Amino acid sequence: MGKANGSNVASKAAQKPAERHGYEFCGPPGATVLVLGLPVLIYVFPFLCNDISGCPAPSLLSPSSFSLEKLKVEVGWPENGIRGFYSTEATLYVLGYYLLSLVLQVFLPGREPEGVVLACGSRHKYKFNSFSSALLMLLGCAVGTWIYGAEFPLWTFLWENHLQVVTANLIICVSLAVFVYLRSFTVPAPGQPNPMNRELAPGGQSGNIIYDYFIGRELNPRIILPIPFVSENSRTLDIKAFCEMRPGLLGWVIMNLSNIAHQCRINSGNVTSSILLITAFQAWYVFDALYMEPAILTTIDIILDGFGFMLSFGDLVWVPFIYSLQTRYLAMYPLQLSPINVALILGAQGVGYSIFRGANNQKNRFRTNPDDPRIKHIQYIETRSGSRLMTSGWWGMARHINYLGDWIMAWTYCLPTGMAGFAMVESLNPITGMVEKRAVQTEESRGWGMAITYFYVVYFGILLVHRERRDEDKCKRKYGEDWAKYTSRVKSRIIPGIY
């Protein structure tokens, strides 16, 4: 039977396709709202929190005097309207970034693990080198910063062309989602020759165009790149794994670094503890994920979800531009934290990471090496399917205890922004004698910016609960009565004793 790396030996389905399941996200109406609404939301945040009028734009705090024309001035609406959202130059630069990431994946050495068993009985092979690729690209950024400082052209370009860079990534994500949706109709039917072991996702076969486009029809869309002199595994591009681990995650770090450089430029060469903390936490999170890259092969995104607009948009647009909102805010409003606040936030990060990494490491060791002395004491339930469900250790506290650690860390990304909100006011620079705008927290603006800087922790909490519900539904179908027995012993879902 052919391997997932595109063997020329034709394989045929040995098992029945995965069972289809019902709608999520409120079905086609919900999918339609998300496909149309999420791209709008991506633009709303940088408009409403800006360095022209403040965060939020003052008109939003004075409904009685609100006018659309005034709001356009306050948010910096492009003079040529929506056409100003696009720039060919920015799009070409972003495409170059994607191409560089792809070239590094193909030509740098990397680990080559196998994925989980597919419905056809075979496995896909993967090549992972995101960690070394990211280090190499950031080394280039470091050299540029060493030469040019905060004026490194990459940093200034990203700040000055934020909208256009967002649009470029949005174009790529939509194009990719359309491509994989149309291509999914070429997936061989069960029993037909299937050399690349292609499969449709259980949730992406509703027959509704919008819903299937959103949720993703094909489970693991892959293409063979026409690149000579490299191994077959190196030139096999798994589109979903590539998007999950490469452009968006590193893009998140790069956007944060660009925001630090902007703060440095407007803050007399100084950088505050608040923006450094968030950037350090998030960079650690990203590089932890990149270093542990093979762990994604057992995640629900890889083994269950199809690749459609949902994952394409989430990976390539949502992650780099929503997750960097806090540092973008602090780039405009430098906020210095007290030593006590720094210590408290560091402590919260330490607690969250300990739970997150400790739980995930325990799970991985239990799955891959049950004889490891570090998990020999773990109690478990043996299911009829042969799987074992842990009922002690981290996973005896809650069925998704790792999500608790993840959410605690999410708070540490937002807390350094404080009671967010500022207004841009004009003042006389005593050194240059020129009138300049600077960010000042006024009574009117104080706290209102939290709707933007704390959006991430609210959204992420909702996301984790949604994921937990999806996991629970999947496990109920898979384990049946054994799952009921398991949940009677491990009663909490995420927060021990509370939820």
Side-chain angles (χ1 to χ4, degrees), residues 315-369:
D315 294 338
L316 306 181
V317 183
W318 190 263
V319 167
F321 300 110
I322 290 296
Y323 289 17
S324 61
L325 280 175
Q326 295 85 10
T327 59
R328 183 171 176 82
Y329 167 84
L330 292 169
M332 297 179 283
Y333 180 69
L335 177 64
Q336 193 68 41
L337 299 175
S338 69
I340 293 178
N341 286 336
V342 170
L344 290 173
I345 293 171
L346 282 171
Q349 171 72 8
V351 170
Y353 183 77
S354 296
I355 296 172
F356 174 78
R357 181 47 57 204
N360 283 331
N361 282 347
Q362 190 177 80
K363 177 181 66 174
N364 288 335
R365 291 183 186 120
F366 188 77
R367 285 180 173 177
T368 59
N369 185 17

Side-chain angles (χ1 to χ4, degrees), residues 15 114-124 199 303:
Q15 300 177 10
E114 290 188 334
V116 299
V117 178
L118 302 167
C120 66
S122 187
R123 298 173 185 262
H124 283 314
E199 293 182 359
I303 65 177

Side-chain angles (χ1 to χ4, degrees), residues 244-360:
E244 285 263 326
M245 300 305 297
R246 300 185 76 91
L249 279 179
L250 182 59
W252 177 12
V253 175
I254 290 174
M255 293 304 299
N256 281 344
L257 295 176
S258 171
N259 294 337
I260 287 179
H262 181 77
Q263 188 192 84
C264 184
R265 290 195 297 272
I266 69 166
N267 197 33
S268 304
N270 298 313
V271 178
T272 62
S273 57
S274 55
I275 198 170
L276 289 176
L277 270 182
I278 295 174
T279 301
F281 291 160
Q282 294 182 343
W284 178 267
Y285 184 90
V286 168
F287 276 95
D288 177 79
L290 298 181
Y291 185 77
M292 305 292 290
E293 190 174 13
I296 70 165
L297 297 180
T298 57
T299 63
I300 195 170
D301 286 359
I302 296 295
I303 65 177
L304 185 64
D305 290 339
F307 185 79
F309 178 85
M310 179 180 72
L311 288 182
S312 180
F313 180 85
D315 294 338
L316 306 181
V317 183
W318 190 263
V319 167
F321 300 110
I322 290 296
Y323 289 17
S324 61
L325 280 175
Q326 295 85 10
T327 59
R328 183 171 176 82
Y329 167 84
L330 292 169
M332 297 179 283
Y333 180 69
L335 177 64
Q336 193 68 41
L337 299 175
S338 69
I340 293 178
N341 286 336
V342 170
L344 290 173
I345 293 171
L346 282 171
Q349 171 72 8
V351 170
Y353 183 77
S354 296
I355 296 172
F356 174 78
R357 181 47 57 204
N360 283 331

Side-chain angles (χ1 to χ4, degrees), residues 1-2 7-17 119-122 185-199:
M1 184 173 291
S7 169
N8 291 326
V9 180
S11 65
K12 294 189 177 183
Q15 300 177 10
K16 292 182 180 180
C120 66
S122 187
F185 290 96
T186 66
V187 172
Q192 297 299 312
N194 190 3
M196 292 187 67
N197 299 314
R198 298 174 64 193
E199 293 182 359

Side-chain angles (χ1 to χ4, degrees), residues 106-107 224-232 234-235:
V106 171
F107 291 103
I224 305 296
L225 301 171
I227 301 176
F229 312 119
V230 296
S231 68
E232 190 170 6
S234 291
R235 62 174 177 263

